[in-house]
Amino acid sequence: MDFNLSPEHLLIRKMMAEFTENEVKPIAAETDAKTLYPRENIEKLFDLGVMGMCIPKEYGGQGADPLASAICIEELSKQCASTGDIVATHNGLCCDPILTHGTEEQKAKYLPMLSTGHKVGAFALTEPNAGSDASKGQTEAKLEGDHYVMNGSKIFITNGYVADVFVVFAMTDKSKGTKGISAFIVESSFPGFSVGKHEEKMGLHGSPTAEIVFTDMIVPKENMLGREGKGFNIAMQTLDGGRIGIAAQSLGIAEGALEEAKAYTKGRVQFGKPISKFQNTQFTFADMELGCEAGRLLTYQAAMKKGSGERYTKEAAMAKLFCSEHAMKTTTKALQMFGGYGYTKDYPMERMMRDAKITEIYEGTSEVQRIVISANMGL
């Protein structure tokens, strides 16, 4: 088995590393401190073809594979996990289900918007009483002639107050539980669509998270994504792919923290030598490096399986679980190496640690990932 990246993937990594260093890193601290959506950089990422990278060229995309997308998210997240999150949500949770489940008319209309049209995408599943258990959703869509009327709300929606296109899940038949959930493509311009509370979060301050409210919202009948009652299957399949994005984001956070800690400990002299030379520090670095390498293999494996059309549910869950937990461990250990400085905003460690925590929670908590893994082990 060849573990080397192709020349194309190496070129994408180089491009994204340079973009991250020159465009993302200089504003990362300000983005976090002022809770700013990095609009200019997202516009530049559209111009680079990163937004909608896996969309086929006939719809305006780059026609790249899931591994290329994962590499982009990984590199961005080394310096700004918020930017990585925006890209991961757009590509994995909005573009992908439309590409996978959309009609030709839907793909022809929406995919060019999301790739070259500078329209940001989002995914709306979670509700106040329906987190991990989607069957408890209260948002309803009732067919009335040539359109559906949608009422309800969604919470914790990434890209919520900047997105133009949403993949939304609603009950079309509450009596059927998960088999009564359907998926829809919704535009923020639809009558009855509104943005509610803007969430104030512990981390990912540059990633816009909000409540979305539907009040007698009119959704054209042709905007149903897939067949009626198949929304739950679409959501679960989409989350499989989304977990690769979160794994890549987590991996990038851990790699970024590792590099910051290496640079700091090489220059910090205590007891007559750089603290990077102390055995305890070196043992910690060894564990951090080991975790990053293992996480990279798990993430790339899942991405390559997705790209080849193989089933990848277990692999995506393993990558997301391992990388998110490793990101939390690594940022904690790295912050400790900075001592008191790590606890201040003079260095990026406290931001990286705050950003890492959400990766253990969203798109399925660590506990949910363990359920998914064990359910796919043939026990």
Side-chain angles (χ1 to χ4, degrees):
M1 183 179 291
D2 185 3
F3 289 96
N4 295 312
L5 292 176
S6 69
E8 293 78 13
H9 289 119
L10 289 172
L11 185 62
I12 290 169
R13 166 155 280 160
K14 182 175 184 293
M15 175 188 76
M16 293 311 302
E18 291 175 352
F19 180 85
T20 300
E21 183 67 23
N22 296 328
E23 306 291 343
V24 177
K25 184 178 180 179
I27 66 167
E30 183 183 18
T31 296
D32 176 74
K34 296 183 179 180
T35 315
L36 297 174
Y37 172 62
R39 188 177 302 277
E40 288 187 14
N41 277 345
I42 296 302
E43 294 300 315
K44 291 174 183 177
L45 288 168
F46 270 109
D47 293 336
L48 284 174
V50 174
M51 308 295 278
M53 173 164 280
C54 297
I55 292 174
K57 292 182 178 180
E58 58 263 35
Y59 300 116
Q62 299 300 307
D65 61 10
L67 178 56
S69 182
I71 289 170
C72 289
I73 296 163
E74 176 189 355
E75 290 297 326
L76 289 168
S77 300
K78 288 179 180 179
Q79 295 298 334
C80 181
S82 290
T83 305
D85 187 42
I86 294 164
V87 174
T89 298
H90 175 90
N91 284 343
L93 299 184
C94 186
C95 296
D96 192 68
I98 295 174
L99 177 62
T100 304
H101 302 283
T103 63
E104 183 54 41
E105 292 76 16
Q106 289 170 341
K107 290 187 283 189
K109 178 178 180 179
Y110 287 106
L111 294 181
M113 284 188 195
L114 295 163
S115 54
T116 58
H118 289 246
K119 301 296 185 183
V120 175
F123 176 89
L125 175 64
T126 302
E127 298 185 18
N129 294 312
S132 299
D133 185 359
S135 68
K136 296 297 188 293
Q138 297 300 306
T139 297
E140 285 190 271
K142 294 182 178 180
L143 183 61
E144 295 186 7
D146 63 351
H147 63 267
Y148 285 86
V149 177
M150 189 178 293
N151 283 283
S153 65
K154 301 289 180 177
I155 60 169
F156 304 147
I157 306 306
T158 302
N159 296 344
Y161 55 86
V162 299
D164 307 279
V165 179
F166 295 73
V167 174
V168 177
F169 299 85
M171 289 287 186
T172 47
D173 188 342
K174 278 191 173 183
S175 67
K176 294 182 179 179
T178 56
K179 293 184 179 180
I181 300 173
S182 300
F184 299 87
I185 304 172
V186 168
E187 298 177 41
S188 60
S189 60
F190 283 179
F193 178 99
S194 63
V195 176
K197 177 186 177 185
H198 291 202
E199 298 293 344
E200 296 183 19
K201 309 188 298 292
M202 173 182 172
L204 292 188
H205 290 169
S207 175
T209 306
E211 174 191 26
I212 304 299
V213 181
F214 315 113
T215 307
D216 293 330
M217 185 177 69
I218 304 300
V219 183
K221 189 176 180 179
E222 60 267 24
N223 275 47
M224 176 175 281
L225 184 61
R227 300 198 309 275
E228 185 170 309
K230 296 298 181 181
F232 182 76
N233 294 338
I234 292 172
M236 294 304 104
Q237 184 176 336
T238 301
L239 288 173
D240 282 346
R243 285 165 183 158
I244 298 173
I246 302 307
Q249 179 195 25
S250 308
L251 175 61
I253 295 170
E255 291 171 330
L258 174 57
E259 290 305 312
E260 291 287 343
K262 283 169 62 179
Y264 180 80
T265 58
K266 286 180 179 180
R268 176 69 169 172
V269 176
Q270 294 287 278
F271 305 104
K273 62 181 178 181
I275 60 175
S276 62
K277 297 297 184 181
F278 287 95
Q279 188 180 65
N280 182 65
T281 307
Q282 294 178 341
F283 282 0
T284 302
F285 274 130
D287 289 339
M288 294 160 74
E289 176 73 7
L290 175 63
C292 287
E293 188 69 18
R296 194 175 302 115
L297 291 170
L298 284 167
T299 302
Y300 290 8
Q301 172 189 241
M304 293 176 70
K305 279 207 163 190
K306 183 178 190 293
S308 65
E310 298 178 65
R311 181 174 171 81
Y312 62 95
T313 298
K314 184 179 74 170
E315 287 76 13
M318 290 194 299
K320 196 266 191 190
L321 173 63
F322 184 88
C323 289
S324 62
E325 293 193 343
H326 179 63
M328 196 64 221
K329 292 173 185 175
T330 297
T331 54
T332 301
K333 291 175 181 177
L335 189 150
Q336 189 75 11
M337 291 181 183
F338 280 72
Y341 289 113
Y343 203 65
T344 72
K345 293 185 182 293
D346 293 340
Y347 292 90
M349 295 317 309
E350 60 85 31
R351 166 169 54 86
M352 290 179 167
M353 186 175 175
R354 287 186 287 106
D355 289 345
K357 184 57 195 173
I358 189 59
T359 65
E360 296 182 302
I361 298 171
Y362 62 5
E363 293 201 35
T365 63
S366 294
E367 292 78 9
V368 167
Q369 303 312 313
R370 288 182 166 89
I371 292 171
V372 172
I373 295 166
S374 62
N376 284 274
M377 289 175 60
L379 299 174

